[in-house]
Amino acid sequence: MGKISSDILKKIEKENIKPIPRCSFVLKNSFLWSLFGLNILFGSVGLAISIYLFESSDILNLILSVNDFIEVLILAIPVIWIVLTAIFLIVGYLNFRYTERGYALSFPKILMINILAILIFGILLHSSSVSERLNSVFSDSIPTYNKIVDPRYRIWSRPEQGYLAGEVLSTDRKENGTVNSVKMRDLQQNLWSVDVSEAKVRRAVSLESGEEIKVIGNVVDSDTFKASEILPWEGKGRKMQGNHP
């Protein structure tokens, strides 16, 4: 035993090996924990925005009203944000694995910690409307964000299949004040005359100029659409009423 210790000491002296300061371990561990926390945060943001975009696509409201539900369901999945969430989950796992206590935990336990943390914080961010605000920030800051990331632009840009969305430009009302039709610019900048005389309109929809709406119905001709149901763009209307006053 003495000979081994002597050999180790000689090797240390010969190679001029110096002990690593404790602060280096502390800094390294702090850095890894910070990365782990950041990836949990980013993963939670990705999950929260995914939930918001999926919900805003009105997929739950469309279950009983469309024949191509599976197609709509697939289109409603915010693929990019889900992929980013998965990436942050994996990176978070790798960071946690190399922290001071991470090595002692098995792969399933570390993965479960990551998943639970992202689920909890993601749901909290969505419940507090942070996901909606963040989505608006990305939408305003990144020119191509909406068309590439937001699934509503895929679902509600298919007038031939009965889905149309856009901004109300003007309304045509009857003598009693009931809205008969609206002029609308869709998400592809095409102009439409939308007949809403027999449409069910969500209470959150006012059909005023500048309002963004989603419309279910069918194409009458090249620039005319017959609406059967009208929903708010943000997808938060829950109740329906008859013809809009």
Side-chain angles (χ1 to χ4, degrees):
M1 188 71 178
K3 185 177 184 305
I4 295 175
S5 299
S6 177
D7 290 342
I8 292 174
L9 289 173
K10 288 179 180 178
K11 185 174 181 180
I12 291 174
E13 292 176 357
K14 182 179 179 180
E15 298 182 10
N16 196 28
I17 298 173
K18 296 180 179 179
I20 299 175
R22 184 175 181 277
C23 63
S24 296
F25 290 102
V26 173
L27 287 174
K28 179 185 176 183
N29 209 45
S30 299
F31 178 69
L32 289 172
W33 275 106
S34 297
L35 286 180
F36 171 70
L38 285 174
N39 279 284
I40 291 295
L41 174 62
F42 292 142
S44 301
V45 167
L47 176 63
I49 294 179
S50 296
I51 296 172
Y52 165 72
L53 291 175
F54 187 82
E55 182 184 80
S56 295
S57 297
D58 271 296
I59 192 67
L60 298 179
N61 290 319
L62 294 176
I63 289 177
L64 300 177
S65 60
V66 299
N67 296 321
D68 54 345
F69 176 67
I70 298 300
E71 179 184 353
V72 174
L73 178 62
I74 293 172
L75 289 173
I77 298 173
V79 177
I80 294 178
W81 275 113
I82 290 177
V83 170
L84 287 174
T85 301
I87 291 173
F88 289 129
L89 174 63
I90 292 169
V91 175
Y93 156 72
L94 293 174
N95 288 329
F96 184 78
R97 183 181 179 186
Y98 292 106
T99 58
E100 186 178 355
R101 296 182 181 86
Y103 74 92
L105 298 176
S106 64
F107 170 78
K109 288 182 179 179
I110 296 176
L111 194 61
M112 188 58 66
I113 290 172
N114 278 258
I115 292 174
L116 286 176
I118 287 178
L119 279 174
I120 292 170
F121 288 113
I123 292 172
L124 286 174
L125 288 174
H126 176 64
S127 300
S128 58
S129 297
V130 172
S131 56
E132 181 178 349
R133 291 194 291 271
L134 286 174
N135 189 69
S136 296
V137 170
F138 293 137
S139 178
D140 295 337
S141 305
I142 306 173
T144 58
Y145 176 84
N146 286 331
K147 292 183 179 179
I148 296 176
V149 178
D150 194 333
R152 288 175 294 183
Y153 280 72
R154 297 190 294 272
I155 295 174
W156 297 95
S157 294
R158 304 180 301 146
E160 293 78 11
Q161 282 76 45
Y163 308 102
L164 185 67
E167 179 184 356
V168 175
L169 301 178
S170 63
T171 60
D172 175 40
R173 296 178 180 271
K174 298 178 181 179
E175 291 183 0
N176 61 4
T178 301
V179 177
N180 188 50
S181 65
V182 300
K183 292 291 182 183
M184 191 176 97
R185 180 187 292 113
D186 71 13
L187 302 175
Q188 308 301 322
Q189 304 304 305
N190 300 313
L191 298 178
W192 292 86
S193 175
V194 181
D195 182 351
V196 301
S197 59
E198 299 178 4
K200 293 179 179 178
V201 184
R202 298 282 169 168
R203 292 191 183 279
V205 176
S206 60
L207 292 179
E208 297 295 337
S209 177
E211 183 179 18
E212 294 179 323
I213 59 174
K214 301 193 291 277
V215 185
I216 299 173
N218 58 277
V219 174
V220 177
D221 55 45
S222 61
D223 62 354
T224 306
F225 197 84
K226 176 76 172 179
S228 60
E229 186 173 351
I230 301 177
L231 307 97
W233 173 247
E234 294 301 334
K236 291 188 176 179
R238 291 290 179 264
K239 299 179 181 179
M240 283 187 290
Q241 60 185 19
N243 295 350
H244 200 282

